[in-house]
Amino acid sequence: MSQQTAATRRSTSDSLNTREMRRILASSFIGSAIEFHDFILYATAASLVFGELFFTGMPPAVGLFASFSTLAVGYVARPLGGALFGHFGDRLGRKGVLILSMLLMGLATTAIGVLPTSAQIGVAAPTLLVVLRLVQGLAVGGEWGGAMLVALEHAPSKRRGFAASFANMGGPAGAVLATLVVAAFSSLPDAQFLSWGWRVPFLLSAVLIGIGLLIRVKVAETPLFLELEDTAERRKIPLLEVVTQYPRNLVLGIVAGMSSYTVQGLMTVWAVAHVIELGVDRTGVLTVKAVGAALTIVGIWFAARLSDRFGRKPVMLAGMVAGAVLAYPITLLLQTGALWGFAIGLFLANGIVQGVIFGPFGAFVAELFPTRMRYTGASLAYQTASTLGAGFTPVIASGLVLAAGGDLWLVALVWGLSFLVSAACVLAVREGRGTNLAGEPK
């Protein structure tokens, strides 16, 4: 397709309420929700059952630590998936790569649902669990960047912050679904839940993947990518260009993104295990977690819309300042050992802090890179931020609690400082709201 023909496919309206854009936004949201449902499903199971089923013969605290370590494997794989899928997404197109990432995620998640435990096959069980978690990480590493770019690169320039946020809203929507499904089965007697109840949510993933694929195949390739056809830019290596031409943007994007992911790792994984260990009802905790994820969607919605009006930087900075201020009060709420304390802390962290930071982040990071390397650059920044911000947070938080003699003040201190470092990185980036995506970012 010629550049002129591709260019004519761009919307001349500032509205997202057209038939094509509604289909695109639905695909971005639903596809991302399904992939993150599968990814977060593992995190929830790691908090509740994997330590007991796959790391038997260990003290409970050590088994939980080992379970969280396998969780981290998926996060380590996410930047690799971002680079791998980003390369082909920048060279061959966004759409085909998204379909492949969804298939891989569905196969890995379904396989976890039928995986024998350590009591059945010994050390092979945790080994296979790590391998399947690795595949999950690779798949979700390619998902977000493509889902976000399909929406952003089709959207009118004045609405692209909000359009890009549909992929961001899909993540917590998937978390809501995963948490509610696990919560429903966790109400079973412990013996039944540990025997077969935890497996059902993983097996249901096959149905969700089928629905997602039906929606995704109907979405057209983005016009900005089509403009690169038969040009020299398409023949370059995106990853090499990102690390050699835009290393500053990459690093600043990673550290800025880490702030919202520390909220996810700390509050939706580590804090869940912490309060359950203090005696809080498991089903109640999971229900609160689902409500918190729903509040994150609301926060993302409003923050993304505000970013189209006021800019990405001021909105994200507001969330980071709130995170630094609230870090210690939230940890005090967790230490109450009561469901209400966990609920208030989670609602503050997810609904306000994470939602406000995460809402503009899709557009923020996409505007750091030109079209020919945008899938690779945005995915690498986002997925590395998720690895550093969320993947290791549960393990680090557990270590900080041990170092502080069981108190949470050290967790609060490190968490608050991480928000301030991220805020400094946002301040160092040029505002991207008015950037011409067909040009070169400064």
Side-chain angles (χ1 to χ4, degrees):
M1 181 179 290
S2 68
Q3 291 187 20
Q4 181 178 3
T5 304
T8 62
R9 296 188 60 181
R10 296 187 192 177
S11 173
T12 58
S13 168
D14 287 338
S15 175
L16 296 177
N17 192 24
T18 65
R19 182 178 180 182
E20 181 183 12
M21 280 307 306
R22 287 195 299 269
R23 181 188 300 117
I24 290 165
L25 296 179
S27 170
S28 179
F29 176 82
I30 295 172
S32 181
I34 292 171
E35 290 246 13
F36 279 89
H37 161 272
D38 289 6
F39 197 75
I40 298 300
L41 185 61
Y42 186 103
T44 306
S47 301
L48 299 177
V49 298
F50 284 173
E52 186 171 348
L53 296 177
F54 293 96
F55 301 96
T56 55
M58 301 179 181
V62 178
L64 183 62
F65 183 87
S67 180
F68 282 156
S69 297
T70 68
L71 176 68
V73 168
Y75 282 98
V76 170
R78 285 175 67 162
L80 300 177
L84 177 64
F85 285 95
H87 172 84
F88 292 105
D90 282 327
R91 294 291 298 272
L92 303 178
R94 307 349 185 171
K95 179 179 175 178
V97 169
L98 281 174
I99 292 173
L100 178 59
S101 71
M102 182 170 283
L103 282 171
L104 282 177
M105 177 61 84
L107 291 172
T109 305
T110 305
I112 291 173
V114 297
L115 186 64
T117 65
S118 293
Q120 296 169 309
I121 60 172
V123 71
T127 302
L128 290 172
L129 185 66
V130 170
V131 171
L132 292 172
R133 181 58 175 175
L134 182 65
V135 175
Q136 276 195 325
L138 292 173
V140 83
E143 165 64 27
W144 178 86
M148 181 272 294
L149 289 182
V150 165
L152 178 133
E153 292 182 347
H154 273 102
S157 60
K158 292 183 180 180
R159 304 297 304 280
R160 67 187 186 216
F162 185 49
S165 74
F166 276 74
N168 290 353
M169 287 187 281
V176 170
L177 180 60
T179 303
L180 288 177
V181 173
V182 175
F185 284 93
S186 73
S187 62
L188 291 168
D190 284 348
Q192 293 182 33
F193 180 65
L194 291 173
S195 175
W196 59 267
W198 70 271
R199 296 182 182 275
V200 178
F202 287 88
L203 298 176
L204 289 175
S205 172
V207 178
L208 296 176
I209 293 296
I211 295 171
L213 289 174
L214 287 175
I215 297 171
R216 185 152 280 177
V217 296
K218 297 180 180 180
V219 173
E221 186 56 80
T222 75
L224 281 171
F225 176 81
L226 292 174
E227 289 180 12
L228 292 179
E229 281 192 334
D230 301 323
T231 63
E233 285 82 358
R234 286 279 301 279
R235 294 190 290 272
K236 296 178 180 179
I237 301 175
L239 178 60
L240 184 60
E241 284 201 281
V242 168
V243 298
T244 57
Q245 297 184 26
Y246 291 88
R248 180 177 181 273
N249 287 10
L250 177 62
V251 172
L252 293 176
I254 290 170
V255 181
M258 284 174 59
S259 56
S260 67
Y261 268 107
T262 61
V263 179
Q264 179 176 310
L266 196 71
M267 296 303 299
T268 66
V269 181
W270 173 80
V272 168
H274 177 74
V275 297
I276 289 176
E277 186 178 344
L278 292 177
V280 181
D281 176 66
R282 180 177 64 197
T283 301
V285 167
L286 292 176
T287 302
V288 166
K289 180 181 173 183
V291 176
L295 291 176
T296 306
I297 299 173
V298 176
I300 289 171
W301 176 284
F302 283 106
R305 292 176 71 91
L306 288 173
S307 80
D308 279 332
R309 183 174 181 182
F310 300 109
R312 324 301 182 208
K313 291 176 60 175
V315 176
M316 292 177 65
L317 286 169
M320 292 170 183
V321 170
V325 171
L326 291 172
Y328 186 64
I330 289 172
T331 57
L332 288 179
L333 288 166
L334 296 179
Q335 199 68 346
T336 63
L339 183 61
W340 65 264
F342 173 69
I344 295 173
L346 188 73
F347 296 164
L348 289 172
N350 284 37
I352 296 177
V353 178
Q354 186 177 24
V356 172
I357 297 172
F358 204 38
F361 185 69
F364 170 85
V365 74
E367 290 160 353
L368 296 177
F369 305 98
T371 304
R372 68 180 184 274
M373 65 182 83
R374 186 170 295 129
Y375 199 146
T376 301
S379 294
L380 197 57
Y382 174 91
Q383 302 300 349
T384 304
S386 75
T387 298
L388 300 177
F392 292 98
T393 298
V395 175
I396 293 172
S398 298
L400 292 174
V401 172
L402 291 174
D407 199 85
L408 302 187
W409 69 267
L410 195 53
V411 173
L413 177 63
V414 174
W415 195 23
L417 289 174
S418 72
F419 284 114
L420 297 179
V421 172
S422 294
C425 290
V426 171
L427 287 170
V429 173
R430 175 177 174 269
E431 175 59 54
R433 179 168 61 104
T435 300
N436 176 12
L437 292 184
E440 295 283 328
K442 300 297 184 181

